[in-house]
């Protein structure tokens, strides 16, 4: 089967004086690897020494490369964890990159769209059915028209599963591969006078929180791995496409797993309400850790690993609950009566066990 490989080259300068050529290559649908080669375009011994010294990046492992032709253009390599040398050629091991994310406001935008790619697939699907025919046609029948939509301070967002198609060969047979791609799509207000950097910060926040709540809903650890901008400016035919991509190591999950919260409960404000309540919670950081471990415990691993991840999830939540200063957790009377009944029944069953009778006292 053919794979979709994205390649591009970028010429520029490190520290405004070290000339380099950056080569990036990655599989479009595979978020686990980004091949990165950095080539020094000089034989000067002093520049070579500075080039070697710059490879670790800043304190956070980030390395900036200023554009050769456009001084406003910038490429940032993120989270450098190591490299291998061969002359002037260096292979970098990185966690991601950013391209053309600028601090200056976007001039005369006609429209601005941002697409966030999510992994894994199998989420955000509407209820419905499909008909497959031997002439190659596929008919989809959705049960309801509503989408998962919400407003944010800089525009509107939609969470949905969409499909792309690639041509492939299976032995000597031509094939068209349908690829399911869950995503968050944002339409940014053109009157907000924002820079791509400001949009990036807002979108990353949305992507992080919505991914986490989707992890809870679908019992899978949902992560974003690419943010692609589509910026069209008035009176200009050229479209700008700033890009952010990062490596995400995915996990496998059971083929058939019932979601905790179905798509039909996420429309009409369902998912945005969950995210809002999460953000308003005094336990937000504990919930963040707890949901991450809980979703990971659902993946295809040994029963021992699943068990420990579930326990860590529970401990993360309880730790946050204990650390709440001055906050009282109350249970409504109706729900407490149900809990009390179940507790009493449990204690009754303990009192019938000889080895437990000394620890249970009847009222």
């Amino acid at each position: 089967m053919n794979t979709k490989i994205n390649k591009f080259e970028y010429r520029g300068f490190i520290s405004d004086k070290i000339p380099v050529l950056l080569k990036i290559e990655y599989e479009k649908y595979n978020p686990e690897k980004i091949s990165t080669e950095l080539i020094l375009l000089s034989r000067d011994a002093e520049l070579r020494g500075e080039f070697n010294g710059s490879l670790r990046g800043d304190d956070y492992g980030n390395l900036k490369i200023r554009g050769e032709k456009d001084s406003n253009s910038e490429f940032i390599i993120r989270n450098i964890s190591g490299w291998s040398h061969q002359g002037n050629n260096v292979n970098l091991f990185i966690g991601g990159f950013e391209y053309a994310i600028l601090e200056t406001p976007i001039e005369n935008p006609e429209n601005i769209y941002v697409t966030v790619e999510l992994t894994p697939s199998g989420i955000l699907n509407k209820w419905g059915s499909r008909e497959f025919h031997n002439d190659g046609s596929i008919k989809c029948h959705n049960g309801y028209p509503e989408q998962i939509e919400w407003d944010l301070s800089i525009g509107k967002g939609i969470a949905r599963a969409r499909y792309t198609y690639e041509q492939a060969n299976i032995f000597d047979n031509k094939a068209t591969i349908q690829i399911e791609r869950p995503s968050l799509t944002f339409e940014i207000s053109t009157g907000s006078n924002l820079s791509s950097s400001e949009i990036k910060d807002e979108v990353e926040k949305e992507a992080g929180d919505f991914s986490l709540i989707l992890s809870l809903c679908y019992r899978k650890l949902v992560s974003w791995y690419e943010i692609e901008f589509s910026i069209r400016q008035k009176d200009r035919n050229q479209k700008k496409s700033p890009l952010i991509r990062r490596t995400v190591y995915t996990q496998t999950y059971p083929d058939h797993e019932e979601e905790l919260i179905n798509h039909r409960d996420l429309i009409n404000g369902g998912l945005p309400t969950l995210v809002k309540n999460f953000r308003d919670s005094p336990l937000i950081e504990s919930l963040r850790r707890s949901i991450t471990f809980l979703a990971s415990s659902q993946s295809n691993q040994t029963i021992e690993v699943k068990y420990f991840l579930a326990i860590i999830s529970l401990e993360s939540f309880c730790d946050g609950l204990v650390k709440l200063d001055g906050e009282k957790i109350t249970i409504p009377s109706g729900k407490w009566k149900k809990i009390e009944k179940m507790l009493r029944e449990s204690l009754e069953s303990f009192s019938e066990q000889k080895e437990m009778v000394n620890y249970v006292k009847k009222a």
Side-chain angles (χ1 to χ4, degrees):
M1 186 182 298
N2 296 330
T3 55
K4 180 71 173 179
I5 303 294
N6 283 354
K7 300 180 182 180
F8 62 88
E9 298 182 354
Y10 184 81
R11 287 177 178 267
F13 296 90
I14 298 172
S15 302
D16 294 326
K17 62 179 179 178
I18 306 172
V20 294
L21 171 64
L22 176 67
K23 294 184 177 182
I24 295 283
E25 181 177 317
Y26 56 89
E27 290 186 28
K28 182 177 180 179
Y29 305 111
N30 183 352
E32 295 189 330
K33 184 179 179 182
I34 302 172
S35 296
T36 308
E37 183 180 10
L38 190 61
I39 304 170
L40 174 63
L41 301 178
S42 174
R43 296 182 180 275
D44 184 281
E46 184 178 346
L47 284 179
R48 178 177 293 181
E50 293 186 32
F51 172 71
N52 293 339
S54 70
L55 293 176
R56 63 175 55 88
D58 61 16
D59 293 341
Y60 301 96
N62 302 327
L63 180 62
K64 294 182 180 181
I65 303 174
R66 188 76 66 180
E68 182 182 53
K69 296 180 180 179
D70 183 0
S71 59
N72 290 324
S73 177
E74 190 174 71
F75 198 107
I76 302 178
I77 301 171
R78 294 287 188 191
N79 305 322
I80 299 172
S81 59
W83 60 87
S84 61
H85 246 300
Q86 188 173 359
N88 281 6
N89 293 44
V90 177
N91 290 317
L92 296 172
F93 309 113
I94 70 173
F97 64 82
E98 294 180 10
Y99 169 67
I101 303 297
L102 306 178
E103 300 286 346
T104 55
I106 299 169
E107 295 181 1
N108 300 319
E110 184 176 342
N111 52 59
I112 306 171
Y113 295 98
V114 182
T115 301
V116 181
E117 304 291 357
L118 305 177
T119 185
S121 63
I123 62 173
L124 296 174
N125 290 307
K126 288 185 177 182
W127 177 88
S129 61
R130 293 184 190 178
E131 297 179 9
F132 299 89
H133 299 269
N134 58 9
D135 63 358
S137 63
I138 302 174
K139 294 181 180 179
C140 298
H141 305 277
N142 290 321
Y144 46 85
E146 293 90 348
Q147 298 277 6
I148 300 173
E149 300 176 304
W150 70 98
D151 293 323
L152 60 155
S153 60
I154 61 172
K156 296 182 178 180
I158 299 177
R160 63 193 177 101
R162 71 194 200 286
Y163 298 88
T164 57
Y165 299 86
E166 299 289 346
Q167 299 302 311
N169 291 310
I170 300 177
F171 190 54
D172 62 350
N173 301 293
K174 297 290 184 182
T176 300
I177 307 298
Q178 184 188 66
I179 302 165
E180 182 180 289
R181 308 193 74 191
S183 65
L184 307 177
T185 304
F186 298 93
E187 182 180 357
I188 308 301
S189 172
T190 56
S192 53
N193 196 35
L194 296 171
S195 66
S196 53
S197 178
E198 290 171 318
I199 295 172
K200 167 214 159 190
D201 291 341
E202 187 70 21
V203 167
E204 279 190 343
K205 178 184 175 184
E206 293 289 298
D209 289 348
F210 274 80
S211 294
L212 188 73
I213 299 305
L214 287 172
S215 300
L216 176 67
C217 295
Y218 285 97
R219 305 178 193 267
K220 299 177 180 181
L221 188 58
V222 179
S223 303
W224 70 266
Y225 64 91
E226 183 175 282
I227 300 177
E228 184 177 16
F229 289 67
S230 177
I231 302 172
R232 188 173 296 280
Q233 294 173 285
K234 297 175 182 177
D235 304 322
R236 296 188 186 181
N237 294 325
Q238 190 175 6
K239 183 177 72 173
K240 292 186 177 181
S241 301
L243 181 67
I244 303 167
R245 191 171 175 103
R246 65 178 187 174
T247 54
V248 174
Y249 298 100
T250 59
Q251 304 178 53
T252 58
Y253 294 87
D255 292 334
H256 302 287
E257 182 76 21
E258 288 293 326
E259 65 271 20
L260 180 65
I261 303 176
N262 190 271
H263 185 279
R264 62 179 173 269
D265 298 313
L266 300 177
I267 59 175
N268 298 323
L271 181 58
T273 299
L274 283 174
V275 173
K276 181 182 182 303
N277 291 340
F278 164 73
R279 288 171 172 169
D280 292 341
S281 172
L283 293 171
I284 181 170
E285 293 305 322
S286 296
L287 286 172
R288 196 183 300 279
R289 292 191 293 271
S290 182
I291 293 172
T292 300
F293 285 118
L294 185 62
S296 296
S297 74
Q298 302 288 326
S299 61
N300 291 330
Q301 304 182 74
T302 62
I303 189 65
E304 293 86 358
V305 173
K306 288 173 175 282
Y307 172 78
F308 282 115
L309 287 172
I311 291 297
I312 294 171
S313 172
L314 181 59
E315 287 184 345
S316 298
F317 177 77
C318 291
D319 284 347
L321 209 57
V322 169
K323 290 177 182 177
L324 276 179
D325 293 329
E327 295 284 346
K328 293 184 179 180
I329 306 300
T330 59
I331 303 175
S333 58
K335 293 182 179 180
W336 166 245
K337 288 180 181 178
K338 292 182 180 180
I339 295 173
E340 182 184 22
K341 180 181 177 183
M342 294 176 66
L343 288 173
R344 288 188 179 280
E345 289 175 353
S346 297
L347 291 173
E348 285 289 339
S349 67
F350 285 144
S351 67
E352 295 172 1
Q353 302 176 32
K354 292 182 180 180
E355 64 274 18
M356 300 295 295
V357 69
N358 292 331
Y359 305 101
V360 179
K361 182 179 179 181
K362 292 185 178 181

